[in-house]
Amino acid sequence: MNNSTVAADNPDSYPLMPTYGQPPVQFVRGSGTELFDRDGNRYLDFLCGLAVTSLGHAHPAVAEAIHEQARTLLHVSNLYETVPGLEVAETIDRLQGGGGQVFFCNSGAESLEGAIKLARRNGGHGKHVVVSALKSFHGRTLATLHATGQVEKHETFQPLPEGFRHVPYNDFEALEASIDPSCAAVLLEVVQGEGGVNVGDGEYFKKVRELCDERQMLLMFDEVQTGFARTGEWFAWQHHFESEGAVRPDVVTMAKALGNGFPIGAIWAKREVAAAFQPGDHATTYGGQPLATSAARAVLRVMESLDAPSLARAAGEELMGKLLAVPNVLDTRGLGLLIAAEIDTETVGMTGPEIALACLEVGLVVNGISPTAIRLAPPLTVSSEEIDEAMTKLSSVLGGN
Ligand SMILES: *Cc1c(COP(=O)(O)O)cnc(C)c1O
């Protein structure tokens, strides 16, 4: 036992701001799909820090890359070039299908901030509005909070930066009706993660692409949660457009899984769009520094060598099937290994968040994504045995045994 403060022990002297409520557990160590708390209890991590540690905890190749780079070169600023950043940018561009350029930053919200600035720079004076979807999530900075289509999160922080408009997700007519010449970009998640794991429609995205071409707007996909194989393609937009060849987004934001836990984000944009940014338009001190990009380089190498999208597809199909056999699971939705399970919460007598807490008590990490659903996002490397064990734990919570 260590002496550090845990929220539950010392609510009055706890040193962290109360933005997350009371943390119910203190994790000290992880390995693959497993996590261990300060008392040595073992957990299966079916959340991955919100779709971040997609290769599992303490991945040896990533740990080694961070260790090696820390002894070699940590930081020189973006006035100079470093090796891992170039390699990661080239790989990201290749995985996007080529023809683009990359800007590195440190988080998902920063990648969205940069994309919003790029849309404004590209649109020019008077063409600056970003249209996004209700129930979307794009970050917590002031601009990305306004892009986030959850009006209840806006109120306490007004006034927010202007230039945002929200329309119902997956509803093409509503989107079309909202467009006027001030619109610079349409910003969408291919699967809404925080909004409840809502999967967008292929037909919808294709019509949105056509509309963006017609009205000279950028199509920007927020793949912070879905990017890097989580949904069974390198990027979720590839479920819908790959067969069409040239039909692609103009801008893609990414972060979470790129560093497997090391903070890093990135914006990818088609070259002709990226060209709207001139020297001095956008910058970051830390974004793309060698420690972050060497971690990302190791992540991408491992993911490519494992063919990570095929892992996500196979394990996702297995997990969805096995979830449906768990008592009181009514339905599942999602893509690849980003999954929500709708639960008969009336019979179980707990809400989604309460079920997640009960799962934690039996050693399974998931989260409550709505009053009636939990979200599962295990590592792409999760094994069949681990899925079975997780389902046994979930069954014990939902009343099966
Ligand atoms: C997590 C998330 C963000 C914000 O990323 P941060 O790193 O927390 O700033 C933005 N968009 C989506 C889709 C996300 O899931």
PDB file of all heavy atoms in Angstrom, residues 107-110 112 137-139 189 194 222 224-225 255-256, ligand 1:
ATOM      1  N   SER A 107      -2.987  16.940 -28.701  1.00  0.00           N
ATOM      2  CA  SER A 107      -4.236  16.363 -28.191  1.00  0.00           C
ATOM      3  C   SER A 107      -5.293  16.396 -29.279  1.00  0.00           C
ATOM      4  O   SER A 107      -5.103  17.030 -30.331  1.00  0.00           O
ATOM      5  CB  SER A 107      -4.735  17.169 -26.987  1.00  0.00           C
ATOM      6  OG  SER A 107      -5.169  18.445 -27.428  1.00  0.00           O
ATOM      7  N   GLY A 108      -6.421  15.767 -28.980  1.00  0.00           N
ATOM      8  CA  GLY A 108      -7.531  15.777 -29.913  1.00  0.00           C
ATOM      9  C   GLY A 108      -8.102  17.172 -30.103  1.00  0.00           C
ATOM     10  O   GLY A 108      -8.302  17.634 -31.234  1.00  0.00           O
ATOM     11  N   ALA A 109      -8.370  17.860 -28.997  1.00  0.00           N
ATOM     12  CA  ALA A 109      -8.961  19.201 -29.099  1.00  0.00           C
ATOM     13  C   ALA A 109      -8.063  20.122 -29.910  1.00  0.00           C
ATOM     14  O   ALA A 109      -8.540  20.903 -30.735  1.00  0.00           O
ATOM     15  CB  ALA A 109      -9.190  19.775 -27.703  1.00  0.00           C
ATOM     16  N   GLU A 110      -6.763  20.024 -29.706  1.00  0.00           N
ATOM     17  CA  GLU A 110      -5.848  20.876 -30.481  1.00  0.00           C
ATOM     18  C   GLU A 110      -5.906  20.543 -31.966  1.00  0.00           C
ATOM     19  O   GLU A 110      -5.749  21.437 -32.803  1.00  0.00           O
ATOM     20  CB  GLU A 110      -4.409  20.659 -30.016  1.00  0.00           C
ATOM     21  CG  GLU A 110      -4.009  21.506 -28.847  1.00  0.00           C
ATOM     22  CD  GLU A 110      -2.570  21.208 -28.464  1.00  0.00           C
ATOM     23  OE1 GLU A 110      -1.654  21.460 -29.260  1.00  0.00           O
ATOM     24  OE2 GLU A 110      -2.373  20.689 -27.353  1.00  0.00           O
ATOM     25  N   LEU A 112      -8.524  19.612 -33.534  1.00  0.00           N
ATOM     26  CA  LEU A 112      -9.764  20.245 -34.013  1.00  0.00           C
ATOM     27  C   LEU A 112      -9.616  21.755 -34.091  1.00  0.00           C
ATOM     28  O   LEU A 112     -10.086  22.389 -35.046  1.00  0.00           O
ATOM     29  CB  LEU A 112     -10.921  19.875 -33.083  1.00  0.00           C
ATOM     30  CG  LEU A 112     -11.748  18.622 -33.402  1.00  0.00           C
ATOM     31  CD1 LEU A 112     -12.337  18.675 -34.793  1.00  0.00           C
ATOM     32  CD2 LEU A 112     -10.947  17.352 -33.239  1.00  0.00           C
ATOM     33  N   PHE A 137     -18.924  15.199 -30.450  1.00  0.00           N
ATOM     34  CA  PHE A 137     -17.944  15.636 -29.449  1.00  0.00           C
ATOM     35  C   PHE A 137     -16.646  15.983 -30.158  1.00  0.00           C
ATOM     36  O   PHE A 137     -16.096  15.175 -30.898  1.00  0.00           O
ATOM     37  CB  PHE A 137     -17.671  14.550 -28.395  1.00  0.00           C
ATOM     38  CG  PHE A 137     -16.715  15.039 -27.340  1.00  0.00           C
ATOM     39  CD1 PHE A 137     -17.168  15.851 -26.306  1.00  0.00           C
ATOM     40  CD2 PHE A 137     -15.361  14.737 -27.408  1.00  0.00           C
ATOM     41  CE1 PHE A 137     -16.288  16.347 -25.354  1.00  0.00           C
ATOM     42  CE2 PHE A 137     -14.478  15.224 -26.456  1.00  0.00           C
ATOM     43  CZ  PHE A 137     -14.939  16.021 -25.424  1.00  0.00           C
ATOM     44  N   HIS A 138     -16.182  17.220 -29.949  1.00  0.00           N
ATOM     45  CA  HIS A 138     -14.963  17.656 -30.630  1.00  0.00           C
ATOM     46  C   HIS A 138     -13.919  18.254 -29.695  1.00  0.00           C
ATOM     47  O   HIS A 138     -12.885  18.736 -30.177  1.00  0.00           O
ATOM     48  CB  HIS A 138     -15.321  18.643 -31.746  1.00  0.00           C
ATOM     49  CG  HIS A 138     -16.233  18.061 -32.785  1.00  0.00           C
ATOM     50  ND1 HIS A 138     -15.853  16.998 -33.594  1.00  0.00           N
ATOM     51  CD2 HIS A 138     -17.516  18.338 -33.135  1.00  0.00           C
ATOM     52  CE1 HIS A 138     -16.858  16.682 -34.411  1.00  0.00           C
ATOM     53  NE2 HIS A 138     -17.876  17.470 -34.141  1.00  0.00           N
ATOM     54  N   GLY A 139     -14.167  18.254 -28.383  1.00  0.00           N
ATOM     55  CA  GLY A 139     -13.139  18.746 -27.470  1.00  0.00           C
ATOM     56  C   GLY A 139     -13.684  19.753 -26.484  1.00  0.00           C
ATOM     57  O   GLY A 139     -14.870  20.097 -26.500  1.00  0.00           O
ATOM     58  N   GLU A 189     -18.111  13.283 -37.143  1.00  0.00           N
ATOM     59  CA  GLU A 189     -17.509  12.012 -36.749  1.00  0.00           C
ATOM     60  C   GLU A 189     -18.150  10.922 -37.616  1.00  0.00           C
ATOM     61  O   GLU A 189     -19.365  10.953 -37.836  1.00  0.00           O
ATOM     62  CB  GLU A 189     -17.802  11.699 -35.284  1.00  0.00           C
ATOM     63  CG  GLU A 189     -17.140  12.628 -34.288  1.00  0.00           C
ATOM     64  CD  GLU A 189     -17.846  12.573 -32.934  1.00  0.00           C
ATOM     65  OE1 GLU A 189     -18.844  13.289 -32.759  1.00  0.00           O
ATOM     66  OE2 GLU A 189     -17.403  11.809 -32.070  1.00  0.00           O
ATOM     67  N   GLU A 194     -18.399   9.823 -28.159  1.00  0.00           N
ATOM     68  CA  GLU A 194     -18.929  10.276 -26.870  1.00  0.00           C
ATOM     69  C   GLU A 194     -20.448  10.411 -26.903  1.00  0.00           C
ATOM     70  O   GLU A 194     -21.109  10.294 -25.879  1.00  0.00           O
ATOM     71  CB  GLU A 194     -18.300  11.620 -26.486  1.00  0.00           C
ATOM     72  CG  GLU A 194     -16.783  11.583 -26.330  1.00  0.00           C
ATOM     73  CD  GLU A 194     -16.350  10.480 -25.400  1.00  0.00           C
ATOM     74  OE1 GLU A 194     -16.690  10.528 -24.219  1.00  0.00           O
ATOM     75  OE2 GLU A 194     -15.666   9.554 -25.877  1.00  0.00           O
ATOM     76  N   ASP A 222     -13.682  14.124 -37.939  1.00  0.00           N
ATOM     77  CA  ASP A 222     -13.003  14.040 -36.650  1.00  0.00           C
ATOM     78  C   ASP A 222     -12.813  12.560 -36.334  1.00  0.00           C
ATOM     79  O   ASP A 222     -13.750  11.870 -35.933  1.00  0.00           O
ATOM     80  CB  ASP A 222     -13.838  14.729 -35.573  1.00  0.00           C
ATOM     81  CG  ASP A 222     -13.173  14.664 -34.202  1.00  0.00           C
ATOM     82  OD1 ASP A 222     -12.158  13.943 -34.074  1.00  0.00           O
ATOM     83  OD2 ASP A 222     -13.668  15.309 -33.266  1.00  0.00           O
ATOM     84  N   VAL A 224     -10.557  11.454 -34.105  1.00  0.00           N
ATOM     85  CA  VAL A 224      -9.754  11.389 -32.879  1.00  0.00           C
ATOM     86  C   VAL A 224      -9.992  10.064 -32.158  1.00  0.00           C
ATOM     87  O   VAL A 224      -9.062   9.431 -31.660  1.00  0.00           O
ATOM     88  CB  VAL A 224     -10.060  12.599 -31.968  1.00  0.00           C
ATOM     89  CG1 VAL A 224      -9.495  12.399 -30.576  1.00  0.00           C
ATOM     90  CG2 VAL A 224      -9.494  13.871 -32.596  1.00  0.00           C
ATOM     91  N   GLN A 225     -11.262   9.630 -32.133  1.00  0.00           N
ATOM     92  CA  GLN A 225     -11.574   8.370 -31.433  1.00  0.00           C
ATOM     93  C   GLN A 225     -11.548   7.149 -32.359  1.00  0.00           C
ATOM     94  O   GLN A 225     -11.202   6.049 -31.953  1.00  0.00           O
ATOM     95  CB  GLN A 225     -12.957   8.478 -30.777  1.00  0.00           C
ATOM     96  CG  GLN A 225     -13.324   7.312 -29.909  1.00  0.00           C
ATOM     97  CD  GLN A 225     -14.326   7.643 -28.813  1.00  0.00           C
ATOM     98  OE1 GLN A 225     -15.037   6.781 -28.337  1.00  0.00           O
ATOM     99  NE2 GLN A 225     -14.381   8.876 -28.373  1.00  0.00           N
ATOM    100  N   ALA A 255      -5.859  11.671 -32.953  1.00  0.00           N
ATOM    101  CA  ALA A 255      -5.064  11.792 -31.725  1.00  0.00           C
ATOM    102  C   ALA A 255      -5.050  10.440 -31.003  1.00  0.00           C
ATOM    103  O   ALA A 255      -4.182   9.612 -31.256  1.00  0.00           O
ATOM    104  CB  ALA A 255      -5.603  12.889 -30.802  1.00  0.00           C
ATOM    105  N   LYS A 256      -6.018  10.228 -30.160  1.00  0.00           N
ATOM    106  CA  LYS A 256      -6.049   9.157 -29.161  1.00  0.00           C
ATOM    107  C   LYS A 256      -5.077   7.984 -29.380  1.00  0.00           C
ATOM    108  O   LYS A 256      -4.104   7.857 -28.660  1.00  0.00           O
ATOM    109  CB  LYS A 256      -7.479   8.660 -28.989  1.00  0.00           C
ATOM    110  CG  LYS A 256      -8.358   9.754 -28.330  1.00  0.00           C
ATOM    111  CD  LYS A 256      -9.691   9.259 -27.885  1.00  0.00           C
ATOM    112  CE  LYS A 256     -10.348  10.248 -26.920  1.00  0.00           C
ATOM    113  NZ  LYS A 256     -11.354  11.122 -27.507  1.00  0.00           N
TER     114      LYS A 256
HETATM  115  C1  LIG B   1     -11.602  12.538 -27.333  1.00  0.00           C
HETATM  116  C2  LIG B   1     -12.118  13.273 -28.500  1.00  0.00           C
HETATM  117  C3  LIG B   1     -11.739  14.605 -28.764  1.00  0.00           C
HETATM  118  C4  LIG B   1     -10.914  15.425 -27.801  1.00  0.00           C
HETATM  119  O1  LIG B   1      -9.637  14.911 -27.604  1.00  0.00           O
HETATM  120  P1  LIG B   1      -8.760  15.424 -26.356  1.00  0.00           P
HETATM  121  O2  LIG B   1      -7.436  14.760 -26.560  1.00  0.00           O
HETATM  122  O3  LIG B   1      -9.467  14.977 -25.116  1.00  0.00           O
HETATM  123  O4  LIG B   1      -8.677  16.900 -26.440  1.00  0.00           O
HETATM  124  C5  LIG B   1     -12.185  15.195 -29.937  1.00  0.00           C
HETATM  125  N1  LIG B   1     -12.947  14.518 -30.804  1.00  0.00           N
HETATM  126  C6  LIG B   1     -13.340  13.251 -30.583  1.00  0.00           C
HETATM  127  C7  LIG B   1     -14.172  12.545 -31.603  1.00  0.00           C
HETATM  128  C8  LIG B   1     -12.947  12.585 -29.419  1.00  0.00           C
HETATM  129  O5  LIG B   1     -13.358  11.326 -29.183  1.00  0.00           O
END
